Amino acid sequence: MRLAPLACAVAGVLALTACGTSTTDSDVTSAELTSAELDLLTRSETFTRTTVDLANAESELISACMASRGFRYRADAADPTPESDEERSLNMKERRSRGYGLASQYASEKESAGTATNDAYLAGLSKKKADAYMKALRGGATDFREMRFGGGRNITFSARGCEADSRTSIYGSLDDWVSISYFPQNLNSELSSRVEKSPKYRSAMNDWRTCMRGKGYSYASPDTAYEQLKGVYRAKGATTALREREIAVAVADGECGAELHIPATVLTLRRSLAQSLPTSDKLQLRRLTAIWKAAADRVR
């Protein structure tokens, strides 16, 4: 898979196809993924800090752009969390309050997520001004484009408006912004089945099952626990007792994961297995990582 240049676009649709840059012999011999490339692929290590910096810069640019068009837009600056990759993956605080997040999906009354400042501002505008606000932010109905990725995944995005202008300013082109956002994610997903077949992962899951049995639960894997609870919600709806069980299972799952360092094991396996991805994919990842790093350097 490789990013198609604009010349490969048809009717406003871009695709990751073979019409990208050709692979040379020197490319093949130097296709070992670097730490930065693995960070972008697996969303680990330097990824969080870089993502926060880029998101903050984008928000500031959008705010300035919207102000120039007569609208208020609050740029909310975020700080990277001091947590490790494993702590972020387990997210014990979320598990203790919401479990796997299933109850809110099946409850008759959804949990309130609060109202963002910009959403509240938009809600207070007249329909005419609100329409103008959204056009300034994301363009009109005819400004949307689509990029196709492997596995039949299509991403739709607007090529106009303050969001698009800000992303172009940071990344150089919207095509590169979309590719950086989704191409590594797709590659990382493709590694999942290989991770699950590895002896180290299977051994970790054996230990996880033993740990969970010690806490009174019998599940084959974290995914199985999630899916079985989801099935009960579908069959019976959200009840207080089921929500309590969901939280208890999710917390036990996270505690076993932390005790056995399962997220760290999975991350190590992903970073190792990524080196055997097809050369064309690794070269595309290399190109996108260079753009990603250059964008981060510009905004810092």
Side-chain angles (χ1 to χ4, degrees), residues 149-171:
F149 289 86
R153 186 175 189 183
N154 300 337
I155 303 300
T156 301
F157 59 98
S158 178
R160 299 287 179 87
C162 288
E163 284 185 346
D165 292 347
S166 299
R167 290 161 181 164
T168 300
S169 176
I170 292 172
Y171 296 94

mmCIF file with all atom_site columns, all heavy atoms in Angstrom, residues 149-171:
data_model
loop_
_atom_site.group_PDB
_atom_site.id
_atom_site.type_symbol
_atom_site.label_atom_id
_atom_site.label_alt_id
_atom_site.label_comp_id
_atom_site.label_asym_id
_atom_site.label_entity_id
_atom_site.label_seq_id
_atom_site.pdbx_PDB_ins_code
_atom_site.Cartn_x
_atom_site.Cartn_y
_atom_site.Cartn_z
_atom_site.occupancy
_atom_site.B_iso_or_equiv
_atom_site.pdbx_formal_charge
_atom_site.auth_seq_id
_atom_site.auth_comp_id
_atom_site.auth_asym_id
_atom_site.auth_atom_id
_atom_site.pdbx_PDB_model_num
ATOM 1   N N   . PHE A 1 149 ? -8.498  3.779  2.200  1.00 0.00 ? 149 PHE A N   1
ATOM 2   C CA  . PHE A 1 149 ? -7.389  3.045  2.782  1.00 0.00 ? 149 PHE A CA  1
ATOM 3   C C   . PHE A 1 149 ? -7.629  1.551  2.596  1.00 0.00 ? 149 PHE A C   1
ATOM 4   O O   . PHE A 1 149 ? -8.707  1.128  2.183  1.00 0.00 ? 149 PHE A O   1
ATOM 5   C CB  . PHE A 1 149 ? -7.253  3.371  4.278  1.00 0.00 ? 149 PHE A CB  1
ATOM 6   C CG  . PHE A 1 149 ? -6.748  4.762  4.541  1.00 0.00 ? 149 PHE A CG  1
ATOM 7   C CD1 . PHE A 1 149 ? -7.630  5.828  4.603  1.00 0.00 ? 149 PHE A CD1 1
ATOM 8   C CD2 . PHE A 1 149 ? -5.395  5.009  4.711  1.00 0.00 ? 149 PHE A CD2 1
ATOM 9   C CE1 . PHE A 1 149 ? -7.182  7.113  4.839  1.00 0.00 ? 149 PHE A CE1 1
ATOM 10  C CE2 . PHE A 1 149 ? -4.933  6.290  4.941  1.00 0.00 ? 149 PHE A CE2 1
ATOM 11  C CZ  . PHE A 1 149 ? -5.817  7.350  5.005  1.00 0.00 ? 149 PHE A CZ  1
ATOM 12  N N   . GLY A 1 150 ? -6.626  0.759  2.908  1.00 0.00 ? 150 GLY A N   1
ATOM 13  C CA  . GLY A 1 150 ? -6.769  -0.683 2.792  1.00 0.00 ? 150 GLY A CA  1
ATOM 14  C C   . GLY A 1 150 ? -7.858  -1.213 3.699  1.00 0.00 ? 150 GLY A C   1
ATOM 15  O O   . GLY A 1 150 ? -8.199  -0.601 4.713  1.00 0.00 ? 150 GLY A O   1
ATOM 16  N N   . GLY A 1 151 ? -8.414  -2.355 3.347  1.00 0.00 ? 151 GLY A N   1
ATOM 17  C CA  . GLY A 1 151 ? -9.448  -2.969 4.160  1.00 0.00 ? 151 GLY A CA  1
ATOM 18  C C   . GLY A 1 151 ? -10.812 -2.343 3.977  1.00 0.00 ? 151 GLY A C   1
ATOM 19  O O   . GLY A 1 151 ? -11.714 -2.559 4.780  1.00 0.00 ? 151 GLY A O   1
ATOM 20  N N   . GLY A 1 152 ? -10.971 -1.541 2.929  1.00 0.00 ? 152 GLY A N   1
ATOM 21  C CA  . GLY A 1 152 ? -12.262 -0.935 2.646  1.00 0.00 ? 152 GLY A CA  1
ATOM 22  C C   . GLY A 1 152 ? -12.610 0.235  3.541  1.00 0.00 ? 152 GLY A C   1
ATOM 23  O O   . GLY A 1 152 ? -13.771 0.646  3.608  1.00 0.00 ? 152 GLY A O   1
ATOM 24  N N   . ARG A 1 153 ? -11.626 0.795  4.213  1.00 0.00 ? 153 ARG A N   1
ATOM 25  C CA  . ARG A 1 153 ? -11.898 1.923  5.104  1.00 0.00 ? 153 ARG A CA  1
ATOM 26  C C   . ARG A 1 153 ? -11.794 3.226  4.326  1.00 0.00 ? 153 ARG A C   1
ATOM 27  O O   . ARG A 1 153 ? -10.767 3.509  3.699  1.00 0.00 ? 153 ARG A O   1
ATOM 28  C CB  . ARG A 1 153 ? -10.898 1.932  6.256  1.00 0.00 ? 153 ARG A CB  1
ATOM 29  C CG  . ARG A 1 153 ? -11.215 2.986  7.310  1.00 0.00 ? 153 ARG A CG  1
ATOM 30  C CD  . ARG A 1 153 ? -10.290 2.886  8.497  1.00 0.00 ? 153 ARG A CD  1
ATOM 31  N NE  . ARG A 1 153 ? -10.725 3.749  9.578  1.00 0.00 ? 153 ARG A NE  1
ATOM 32  C CZ  . ARG A 1 153 ? -10.062 3.895  10.715 1.00 0.00 ? 153 ARG A CZ  1
ATOM 33  N NH1 . ARG A 1 153 ? -8.954  3.237  10.916 1.00 0.00 ? 153 ARG A NH1 1
ATOM 34  N NH2 . ARG A 1 153 ? -10.518 4.706  11.661 1.00 0.00 ? 153 ARG A NH2 1
ATOM 35  N N   . ASN A 1 154 ? -12.854 4.025  4.376  1.00 0.00 ? 154 ASN A N   1
ATOM 36  C CA  . ASN A 1 154 ? -12.889 5.316  3.689  1.00 0.00 ? 154 ASN A CA  1
ATOM 37  C C   . ASN A 1 154 ? -12.969 6.439  4.711  1.00 0.00 ? 154 ASN A C   1
ATOM 38  O O   . ASN A 1 154 ? -13.757 6.377  5.646  1.00 0.00 ? 154 ASN A O   1
ATOM 39  C CB  . ASN A 1 154 ? -14.090 5.397  2.742  1.00 0.00 ? 154 ASN A CB  1
ATOM 40  C CG  . ASN A 1 154 ? -14.057 4.321  1.680  1.00 0.00 ? 154 ASN A CG  1
ATOM 41  O OD1 . ASN A 1 154 ? -12.999 3.783  1.358  1.00 0.00 ? 154 ASN A OD1 1
ATOM 42  N ND2 . ASN A 1 154 ? -15.205 3.996  1.138  1.00 0.00 ? 154 ASN A ND2 1
ATOM 43  N N   . ILE A 1 155 ? -12.166 7.478  4.518  1.00 0.00 ? 155 ILE A N   1
ATOM 44  C CA  . ILE A 1 155 ? -12.153 8.628  5.410  1.00 0.00 ? 155 ILE A CA  1
ATOM 45  C C   . ILE A 1 155 ? -12.631 9.853  4.632  1.00 0.00 ? 155 ILE A C   1
ATOM 46  O O   . ILE A 1 155 ? -12.084 10.177 3.576  1.00 0.00 ? 155 ILE A O   1
ATOM 47  C CB  . ILE A 1 155 ? -10.742 8.895  5.972  1.00 0.00 ? 155 ILE A CB  1
ATOM 48  C CG1 . ILE A 1 155 ? -10.215 7.657  6.704  1.00 0.00 ? 155 ILE A CG1 1
ATOM 49  C CG2 . ILE A 1 155 ? -10.760 10.110 6.893  1.00 0.00 ? 155 ILE A CG2 1
ATOM 50  C CD1 . ILE A 1 155 ? -11.066 7.214  7.860  1.00 0.00 ? 155 ILE A CD1 1
ATOM 51  N N   . THR A 1 156 ? -13.669 10.506 5.137  1.00 0.00 ? 156 THR A N   1
ATOM 52  C CA  . THR A 1 156 ? -14.215 11.702 4.501  1.00 0.00 ? 156 THR A CA  1
ATOM 53  C C   . THR A 1 156 ? -13.775 12.923 5.290  1.00 0.00 ? 156 THR A C   1
ATOM 54  O O   . THR A 1 156 ? -13.813 12.927 6.528  1.00 0.00 ? 156 THR A O   1
ATOM 55  C CB  . THR A 1 156 ? -15.756 11.637 4.455  1.00 0.00 ? 156 THR A CB  1
ATOM 56  O OG1 . THR A 1 156 ? -16.142 10.476 3.726  1.00 0.00 ? 156 THR A OG1 1
ATOM 57  C CG2 . THR A 1 156 ? -16.326 12.869 3.762  1.00 0.00 ? 156 THR A CG2 1
ATOM 58  N N   . PHE A 1 157 ? -13.346 13.962 4.589  1.00 0.00 ? 157 PHE A N   1
ATOM 59  C CA  . PHE A 1 157 ? -12.886 15.174 5.251  1.00 0.00 ? 157 PHE A CA  1
ATOM 60  C C   . PHE A 1 157 ? -13.143 16.375 4.346  1.00 0.00 ? 157 PHE A C   1
ATOM 61  O O   . PHE A 1 157 ? -13.280 16.240 3.132  1.00 0.00 ? 157 PHE A O   1
ATOM 62  C CB  . PHE A 1 157 ? -11.395 15.084 5.585  1.00 0.00 ? 157 PHE A CB  1
ATOM 63  C CG  . PHE A 1 157 ? -10.507 14.863 4.387  1.00 0.00 ? 157 PHE A CG  1
ATOM 64  C CD1 . PHE A 1 157 ? -9.855  15.923 3.769  1.00 0.00 ? 157 PHE A CD1 1
ATOM 65  C CD2 . PHE A 1 157 ? -10.328 13.580 3.868  1.00 0.00 ? 157 PHE A CD2 1
ATOM 66  C CE1 . PHE A 1 157 ? -9.037  15.715 2.661  1.00 0.00 ? 157 PHE A CE1 1
ATOM 67  C CE2 . PHE A 1 157 ? -9.520  13.365 2.752  1.00 0.00 ? 157 PHE A CE2 1
ATOM 68  C CZ  . PHE A 1 157 ? -8.868  14.441 2.153  1.00 0.00 ? 157 PHE A CZ  1
ATOM 69  N N   . SER A 1 158 ? -13.227 17.548 4.958  1.00 0.00 ? 158 SER A N   1
ATOM 70  C CA  . SER A 1 158 ? -13.462 18.767 4.192  1.00 0.00 ? 158 SER A CA  1
ATOM 71  C C   . SER A 1 158 ? -12.139 19.382 3.758  1.00 0.00 ? 158 SER A C   1
ATOM 72  O O   . SER A 1 158 ? -11.169 19.417 4.514  1.00 0.00 ? 158 SER A O   1
ATOM 73  C CB  . SER A 1 158 ? -14.242 19.785 5.020  1.00 0.00 ? 158 SER A CB  1
ATOM 74  O OG  . SER A 1 158 ? -14.418 20.979 4.269  1.00 0.00 ? 158 SER A OG  1
ATOM 75  N N   . ALA A 1 159 ? -12.119 19.885 2.538  1.00 0.00 ? 159 ALA A N   1
ATOM 76  C CA  . ALA A 1 159 ? -10.918 20.525 2.005  1.00 0.00 ? 159 ALA A CA  1
ATOM 77  C C   . ALA A 1 159 ? -10.967 22.041 2.165  1.00 0.00 ? 159 ALA A C   1
ATOM 78  O O   . ALA A 1 159 ? -10.064 22.744 1.721  1.00 0.00 ? 159 ALA A O   1
ATOM 79  C CB  . ALA A 1 159 ? -10.753 20.172 0.519  1.00 0.00 ? 159 ALA A CB  1
ATOM 80  N N   . ARG A 1 160 ? -12.016 22.550 2.801  1.00 0.00 ? 160 ARG A N   1
ATOM 81  C CA  . ARG A 1 160 ? -12.172 23.995 2.976  1.00 0.00 ? 160 ARG A CA  1
ATOM 82  C C   . ARG A 1 160 ? -12.461 24.320 4.430  1.00 0.00 ? 160 ARG A C   1
ATOM 83  O O   . ARG A 1 160 ? -12.823 23.455 5.214  1.00 0.00 ? 160 ARG A O   1
ATOM 84  C CB  . ARG A 1 160 ? -13.324 24.519 2.109  1.00 0.00 ? 160 ARG A CB  1
ATOM 85  C CG  . ARG A 1 160 ? -13.147 24.319 0.613  1.00 0.00 ? 160 ARG A CG  1
ATOM 86  C CD  . ARG A 1 160 ? -12.107 25.260 0.036  1.00 0.00 ? 160 ARG A CD  1
ATOM 87  N NE  . ARG A 1 160 ? -11.930 25.049 -1.394 1.00 0.00 ? 160 ARG A NE  1
ATOM 88  C CZ  . ARG A 1 160 ? -12.648 25.637 -2.330 1.00 0.00 ? 160 ARG A CZ  1
ATOM 89  N NH1 . ARG A 1 160 ? -13.625 26.470 -1.966 1.00 0.00 ? 160 ARG A NH1 1
ATOM 90  N NH2 . ARG A 1 160 ? -12.410 25.406 -3.600 1.00 0.00 ? 160 ARG A NH2 1
ATOM 91  N N   . GLY A 1 161 ? -12.297 25.574 4.776  1.00 0.00 ? 161 GLY A N   1
ATOM 92  C CA  . GLY A 1 161 ? -12.606 26.027 6.118  1.00 0.00 ? 161 GLY A CA  1
ATOM 93  C C   . GLY A 1 161 ? -11.368 26.146 6.992  1.00 0.00 ? 161 GLY A C   1
ATOM 94  O O   . GLY A 1 161 ? -10.262 25.760 6.607  1.00 0.00 ? 161 GLY A O   1
ATOM 95  N N   . CYS A 1 162 ? -11.563 26.673 8.192  1.00 0.00 ? 162 CYS A N   1
ATOM 96  C CA  . CYS A 1 162 ? -10.437 26.936 9.089  1.00 0.00 ? 162 CYS A CA  1
ATOM 97  C C   . CYS A 1 162 ? -9.731  25.661 9.547  1.00 0.00 ? 162 CYS A C   1
ATOM 98  O O   . CYS A 1 162 ? -8.515  25.659 9.733  1.00 0.00 ? 162 CYS A O   1
ATOM 99  C CB  . CYS A 1 162 ? -10.922 27.734 10.303 1.00 0.00 ? 162 CYS A CB  1
ATOM 100 S SG  . CYS A 1 162 ? -11.324 29.462 9.910  1.00 0.00 ? 162 CYS A SG  1
ATOM 101 N N   . GLU A 1 163 ? -10.479 24.589 9.737  1.00 0.00 ? 163 GLU A N   1
ATOM 102 C CA  . GLU A 1 163 ? -9.827  23.333 10.117 1.00 0.00 ? 163 GLU A CA  1
ATOM 103 C C   . GLU A 1 163 ? -8.883  22.871 9.015  1.00 0.00 ? 163 GLU A C   1
ATOM 104 O O   . GLU A 1 163 ? -7.726  22.524 9.273  1.00 0.00 ? 163 GLU A O   1
ATOM 105 C CB  . GLU A 1 163 ? -10.877 22.254 10.392 1.00 0.00 ? 163 GLU A CB  1
ATOM 106 C CG  . GLU A 1 163 ? -11.580 22.400 11.725 1.00 0.00 ? 163 GLU A CG  1
ATOM 107 C CD  . GLU A 1 163 ? -12.515 21.258 12.031 1.00 0.00 ? 163 GLU A CD  1
ATOM 108 O OE1 . GLU A 1 163 ? -12.840 20.472 11.112 1.00 0.00 ? 163 GLU A OE1 1
ATOM 109 O OE2 . GLU A 1 163 ? -12.941 21.145 13.194 1.00 0.00 ? 163 GLU A OE2 1
ATOM 110 N N   . ALA A 1 164 ? -9.361  22.864 7.786  1.00 0.00 ? 164 ALA A N   1
ATOM 111 C CA  . ALA A 1 164 ? -8.540  22.425 6.664  1.00 0.00 ? 164 ALA A CA  1
ATOM 112 C C   . ALA A 1 164 ? -7.337  23.347 6.471  1.00 0.00 ? 164 ALA A C   1
ATOM 113 O O   . ALA A 1 164 ? -6.212  22.888 6.231  1.00 0.00 ? 164 ALA A O   1
ATOM 114 C CB  . ALA A 1 164 ? -9.378  22.376 5.389  1.00 0.00 ? 164 ALA A CB  1
ATOM 115 N N   . ASP A 1 165 ? -7.557  24.657 6.572  1.00 0.00 ? 165 ASP A N   1
ATOM 116 C CA  . ASP A 1 165 ? -6.458  25.615 6.403  1.00 0.00 ? 165 ASP A CA  1
ATOM 117 C C   . ASP A 1 165 ? -5.384  25.406 7.468  1.00 0.00 ? 165 ASP A C   1
ATOM 118 O O   . ASP A 1 165 ? -4.184  25.466 7.175  1.00 0.00 ? 165 ASP A O   1
ATOM 119 C CB  . ASP A 1 165 ? -6.985  27.046 6.472  1.00 0.00 ? 165 ASP A CB  1
ATOM 120 C CG  . ASP A 1 165 ? -7.859  27.420 5.284  1.00 0.00 ? 165 ASP A CG  1
ATOM 121 O OD1 . ASP A 1 165 ? -7.858  26.665 4.294  1.00 0.00 ? 165 ASP A OD1 1
ATOM 122 O OD2 . ASP A 1 165 ? -8.540  28.466 5.361  1.00 0.00 ? 165 ASP A OD2 1
ATOM 123 N N   . SER A 1 166 ? -5.818  25.171 8.694  1.00 0.00 ? 166 SER A N   1
ATOM 124 C CA  . SER A 1 166 ? -4.870  24.992 9.791  1.00 0.00 ? 166 SER A CA  1
ATOM 125 C C   . SER A 1 166 ? -4.057  23.712 9.605  1.00 0.00 ? 166 SER A C   1
ATOM 126 O O   . SER A 1 166 ? -2.840  23.696 9.820  1.00 0.00 ? 166 SER A O   1
ATOM 127 C CB  . SER A 1 166 ? -5.623  24.949 11.124 1.00 0.00 ? 166 SER A CB  1
ATOM 128 O OG  . SER A 1 166 ? -6.322  26.161 11.338 1.00 0.00 ? 166 SER A OG  1
ATOM 129 N N   . ARG A 1 167 ? -4.708  22.640 9.194  1.00 0.00 ? 167 ARG A N   1
ATOM 130 C CA  . ARG A 1 167 ? -3.993  21.376 8.986  1.00 0.00 ? 167 ARG A CA  1
ATOM 131 C C   . ARG A 1 167 ? -3.026  21.463 7.812  1.00 0.00 ? 167 ARG A C   1
ATOM 132 O O   . ARG A 1 167 ? -1.924  20.913 7.867  1.00 0.00 ? 167 ARG A O   1
ATOM 133 C CB  . ARG A 1 167 ? -5.011  20.250 8.788  1.00 0.00 ? 167 ARG A CB  1
ATOM 134 C CG  . ARG A 1 167 ? -5.767  19.935 10.069 1.00 0.00 ? 167 ARG A CG  1
ATOM 135 C CD  . ARG A 1 167 ? -7.056  19.188 9.837  1.00 0.00 ? 167 ARG A CD  1
ATOM 136 N NE  . ARG A 1 167 ? -7.738  18.938 11.108 1.00 0.00 ? 167 ARG A NE  1
ATOM 137 C CZ  . ARG A 1 167 ? -9.005  18.583 11.227 1.00 0.00 ? 167 ARG A CZ  1
ATOM 138 N NH1 . ARG A 1 167 ? -9.754  18.404 10.143 1.00 0.00 ? 167 ARG A NH1 1
ATOM 139 N NH2 . ARG A 1 167 ? -9.543  18.395 12.414 1.00 0.00 ? 167 ARG A NH2 1
ATOM 140 N N   . THR A 1 168 ? -3.438  22.168 6.773  1.00 0.00 ? 168 THR A N   1
ATOM 141 C CA  . THR A 1 168 ? -2.540  22.365 5.636  1.00 0.00 ? 168 THR A CA  1
ATOM 142 C C   . THR A 1 168 ? -1.314  23.153 6.056  1.00 0.00 ? 168 THR A C   1
ATOM 143 O O   . THR A 1 168 ? -0.183  22.855 5.647  1.00 0.00 ? 168 THR A O   1
ATOM 144 C CB  . THR A 1 168 ? -3.270  23.091 4.495  1.00 0.00 ? 168 THR A CB  1
ATOM 145 O OG1 . THR A 1 168 ? -4.382  22.301 4.076  1.00 0.00 ? 168 THR A OG1 1
ATOM 146 C CG2 . THR A 1 168 ? -2.348  23.317 3.308  1.00 0.00 ? 168 THR A CG2 1
ATOM 147 N N   . SER A 1 169 ? -1.527  24.169 6.889  1.00 0.00 ? 169 SER A N   1
ATOM 148 C CA  . SER A 1 169 ? -0.418  24.984 7.366  1.00 0.00 ? 169 SER A CA  1
ATOM 149 C C   . SER A 1 169 ? 0.577   24.161 8.174  1.00 0.00 ? 169 SER A C   1
ATOM 150 O O   . SER A 1 169 ? 1.787   24.338 8.058  1.00 0.00 ? 169 SER A O   1
ATOM 151 C CB  . SER A 1 169 ? -0.959  26.135 8.224  1.00 0.00 ? 169 SER A CB  1
ATOM 152 O OG  . SER A 1 169 ? 0.086   26.898 8.788  1.00 0.00 ? 169 SER A OG  1
ATOM 153 N N   . ILE A 1 170 ? 0.076   23.232 8.971  1.00 0.00 ? 170 ILE A N   1
ATOM 154 C CA  . ILE A 1 170 ? 0.953   22.441 9.840  1.00 0.00 ? 170 ILE A CA  1
ATOM 155 C C   . ILE A 1 170 ? 1.620   21.299 9.095  1.00 0.00 ? 170 ILE A C   1
ATOM 156 O O   . ILE A 1 170 ? 2.835   21.070 9.233  1.00 0.00 ? 170 ILE A O   1
ATOM 157 C CB  . ILE A 1 170 ? 0.146   21.884 11.029 1.00 0.00 ? 170 ILE A CB  1
ATOM 158 C CG1 . ILE A 1 170 ? -0.291  23.033 11.951 1.00 0.00 ? 170 ILE A CG1 1
ATOM 159 C CG2 . ILE A 1 170 ? 0.973   20.866 11.818 1.00 0.00 ? 170 ILE A CG2 1
ATOM 160 C CD1 . ILE A 1 170 ? -1.260  22.607 13.039 1.00 0.00 ? 170 ILE A CD1 1
ATOM 161 N N   . TYR A 1 171 ? 0.846   20.574 8.285  1.00 0.00 ? 171 TYR A N   1
ATOM 162 C CA  . TYR A 1 171 ? 1.363   19.349 7.667  1.00 0.00 ? 171 TYR A CA  1
ATOM 163 C C   . TYR A 1 171 ? 1.813   19.520 6.219  1.00 0.00 ? 171 TYR A C   1
ATOM 164 O O   . TYR A 1 171 ? 2.432   18.611 5.667  1.00 0.00 ? 171 TYR A O   1
ATOM 165 C CB  . TYR A 1 171 ? 0.297   18.248 7.738  1.00 0.00 ? 171 TYR A CB  1
ATOM 166 C CG  . TYR A 1 171 ? -0.039  17.832 9.146  1.00 0.00 ? 171 TYR A CG  1
ATOM 167 C CD1 . TYR A 1 171 ? -1.108  18.410 9.833  1.00 0.00 ? 171 TYR A CD1 1
ATOM 168 C CD2 . TYR A 1 171 ? 0.713   16.875 9.807  1.00 0.00 ? 171 TYR A CD2 1
ATOM 169 C CE1 . TYR A 1 171 ? -1.421  18.039 11.138 1.00 0.00 ? 171 TYR A CE1 1
ATOM 170 C CE2 . TYR A 1 171 ? 0.407   16.495 11.115 1.00 0.00 ? 171 TYR A CE2 1
ATOM 171 C CZ  . TYR A 1 171 ? -0.653  17.093 11.770 1.00 0.00 ? 171 TYR A CZ  1
ATOM 172 O OH  . TYR A 1 171 ? -0.945  16.727 13.059 1.00 0.00 ? 171 TYR A OH  1
#
